[in-house]
Amino acid sequence: MSDVWKIAEQTNASDMYQITKSMLFGSEIMAANRLTNMCNQMSSSYDQIIDDQNEYITEIDAQINEIETLQKELDAKIREQEAERNKILSNAGNDGLSEEDEAKVNTINSEIEALNGDANAKIGSISSDIKGSSSKLENTTSKADIATDYGNTAVEKGTPLANTKDKRKSFWRKLSGSWNKSAEREAGKKAVDAGNNLLDQVETVKASEKEITKKTKK
């Protein structure tokens, strides 16, 4: 687990915001920037998770297509063998099958059994690969809880900052520039954007995990 996750695991987002704010003389800007930075680092980690999941889903789809192709080929070969067997049986006279025809029917039955065995072995092997490789994917449950906390808090704390209005330009405020609240708005907007982006990534990963679970249960 990278440093950002270790830090976030030990300190929830609200506490992180308050600690940063108190250490920097009540600066909401710096506290919001800290949340933004944490969310952005988590987002970078989520980018890799999403890439890994997308790559895995692509592999699963290819393997599922391979299974479906094997099944279709098996069905076609079996229908062909069954048609030949039925032809022999329908052409049998009143005395039944000759020894030669009976041997042919037995051979066809053996070939059908062999086809089923071979195809089932290949399909079983591919299915095992699908289920086995899914265990290599990272378990994101704990990260999802942490990321959701930080994402929601960044949006919560960033929204009022992003909506901060400039103060009335009094003489002294003009001299000091304290009327201008663009820094607050910028910090708030960055926090909201970072929080929403992280929350979107969490939902993307959850949706992918559901898709993977559905595909690997086939």
Side-chain angles (χ1 to χ4, degrees):
M1 186 177 287
S2 65
D3 289 343
V4 67
W5 295 107
K6 289 179 181 178
I7 293 170
E9 193 175 51
Q10 297 169 1
T11 309
N12 66 46
S14 293
D15 287 347
M16 177 69 71
Y17 182 84
Q18 293 301 329
I19 291 169
T20 305
K21 184 178 174 181
S22 62
M23 288 175 61
L24 296 167
F25 310 102
S27 173
E28 291 184 329
I29 293 176
M30 297 303 294
N33 286 343
R34 183 68 189 277
L35 290 180
T36 298
N37 183 51
M38 293 289 287
C39 287
N40 285 338
Q41 289 187 63
M42 291 181 195
S43 288
S44 295
S45 178
Y46 260 89
D47 284 338
Q48 185 59 55
I49 292 171
I50 291 169
D51 286 345
D52 290 343
Q53 286 183 332
N54 287 339
E55 182 179 347
Y56 179 64
I57 288 172
T58 299
E59 291 176 2
I60 292 177
D61 288 338
Q63 289 171 312
I64 289 174
N65 287 336
E66 187 177 355
I67 288 174
E68 290 174 350
T69 298
L70 284 170
Q71 191 64 57
K72 288 177 182 177
E73 289 176 351
L74 171 65
D75 292 344
K77 289 177 180 177
I78 288 178
R79 283 196 300 271
E80 184 179 321
Q81 294 287 344
E82 287 176 338
E84 185 177 347
R85 182 181 61 190
N86 290 339
K87 183 179 179 181
I88 294 171
L89 293 173
S90 64
N91 289 336
N94 293 330
D95 295 332
L97 292 173
S98 65
E99 290 185 5
E100 182 181 354
D101 286 340
E102 186 174 353
K104 288 180 180 179
V105 168
N106 289 335
T107 298
I108 291 171
N109 288 337
S110 296
E111 288 176 351
I112 290 174
E113 185 177 346
L115 285 170
N116 273 310
D118 182 54
N120 288 335
K122 290 178 180 177
I123 290 172
S125 176
I126 297 170
S127 296
S128 295
D129 287 343
I130 290 174
K131 293 177 181 178
S133 57
S134 66
S135 63
K136 298 176 184 177
L137 289 174
E138 181 178 352
N139 186 325
T140 64
T141 303
S142 62
K143 285 186 175 180
D145 292 339
I146 294 171
T148 299
D149 174 40
Y150 270 81
N152 283 331
T153 304
V155 173
E156 176 193 341
K157 301 296 184 182
T159 299
L161 276 178
N163 295 326
T164 303
K165 304 294 183 183
D166 289 336
K167 291 184 178 291
R168 186 173 61 83
K169 296 180 183 179
S170 66
F171 174 76
W172 294 111
R173 284 173 180 162
K174 286 181 181 179
L175 287 179
S176 64
S178 61
W179 63 271
N180 187 350
K181 296 299 176 181
S182 60
E184 283 83 351
R185 289 193 293 273
E186 182 180 0
K189 184 179 184 304
K190 286 181 178 179
V192 171
D193 289 346
N196 280 327
N197 181 56
L198 182 57
L199 292 172
D200 286 344
Q201 287 177 306
V202 171
E203 292 306 311
T204 297
V205 167
K206 286 181 179 179
S208 293
E209 286 173 343
K210 287 182 181 178
E211 184 179 357
I212 289 169
T213 299
K214 182 179 178 181
K215 290 177 181 291
T216 54
K217 283 184 176 179
K218 289 185 177 180

